[in-house]
Amino acid sequence: MPETSRPRVGILISGRGSNMAALLAAMQDGRVEADPAVVISNVPGASGLDHAKARGVPTAVVDHKAIKPREAHDRAVLDVLREHRAQIVCLAGYMRFLSPSFVAAYRGRILNIHPSLLPAFPGLDAQRQALEAGVKVSGCTVHLVDETLDHGPILLQSAVPVLPGDTVETLSARILEQEHRIYPEALALIASR
Ligand code: GRF
């Protein structure tokens, strides 16, 4: 299939990158009609970088501590995405709020995964927020990114039960399993349009 029919995907991470791994596997085994372009971490030494390299995907580090302010860091990330001709951007545990100019550069083509049923519990520690609120159902959401944190058109959600005795760890693990399922599905939706 010619490259033009398979969009190129840049993935931004800050840590272990298990969602990144799910996306790479889905693209590389043909479940998602898209190609990995580059994996970028804002954290040097993020363990997800090793996994990407092992899968033969180009990686880059754009250290937010070395490039300030936020707009300059975002410009540097955009430069790497463009260098690798990324057409879609997936945030996968990327612990940075994107500046409006970044959102504008890839509007409608930036996806994020969040471990709650948005609009409930945006921001940090979503699973802890859910437990503290006493909800009986939580889950995860893949959405298009706009200028507001953990906000934008919802692409897919998956609900999971909150069980008696759940801790942040047990609930997070149950949600993560669903994250790895719905993120590739949501990417497939955007890649095919
Ligand atoms: C996931 O729970 C994701 O929903 C949230 O950060 C976590 C990242 O995990 N945005 P991983 O790096 O993909 O393993």
Side-chain angles (χ1 to χ4, degrees):
M1 194 179 282
E3 183 187 295
T4 46
S5 66
R6 287 174 68 94
R8 294 172 59 79
V9 180
I11 304 177
L12 307 190
I13 65 169
S14 299
R16 69 184 167 183
S18 71
N19 279 289
M20 170 212 73
L23 294 172
L24 294 181
M27 286 188 270
Q28 292 185 328
D29 71 18
R31 277 177 289 136
V32 175
E33 293 285 342
D35 290 318
V38 63
V39 170
I40 304 172
S41 173
N42 67 306
V43 177
S47 57
L49 291 168
D50 293 330
H51 183 88
K53 282 180 201 153
R55 280 191 164 270
V57 177
T59 62
V61 172
V62 184
D63 185 352
H64 66 280
K65 291 188 179 153
I67 309 175
K68 292 180 175 173
R70 179 181 306 279
E71 287 68 25
H73 178 260
D74 276 0
R75 272 197 302 277
V77 174
L78 283 172
D79 284 347
V80 178
L81 288 169
R82 288 177 178 136
E83 183 189 324
H84 290 272
R85 294 177 287 120
Q87 295 153 291
I88 294 171
V89 178
C90 290
L91 310 183
Y94 186 61
M95 303 301 283
R96 300 275 301 166
F97 181 67
L98 299 182
S99 58
S101 53
F102 191 121
V103 175
Y106 276 92
R107 187 174 299 286
R109 292 176 294 138
I110 309 173
L111 285 67
N112 182 43
I113 184 138
H114 185 75
S116 76
L117 293 175
L118 291 173
F121 315 128
L124 292 176
D125 294 325
Q127 301 92 334
R128 183 180 303 281
Q129 292 184 56
L131 286 174
E132 287 176 358
V135 295
K136 302 300 177 204
V137 176
S138 191
C140 50
T141 303
V142 182
H143 65 98
L144 293 174
V145 170
D146 67 13
E147 285 78 1
T148 303
L149 183 67
D150 296 327
H151 184 267
I154 289 173
L155 296 171
L156 286 177
Q157 292 186 307
S158 179
V160 307
V162 180
L163 301 177
D166 255 345
T167 62
V168 171
E169 288 70 31
T170 59
L171 178 59
S172 298
R174 195 175 308 119
I175 292 173
L176 193 63
E177 208 175 297
Q178 295 305 310
E179 294 185 38
H180 296 165
R181 186 178 65 78
I182 67 168
Y183 209 174
E185 283 182 20
L187 175 58
L189 292 175
I190 295 301
S192 68
R193 72 180 191 185

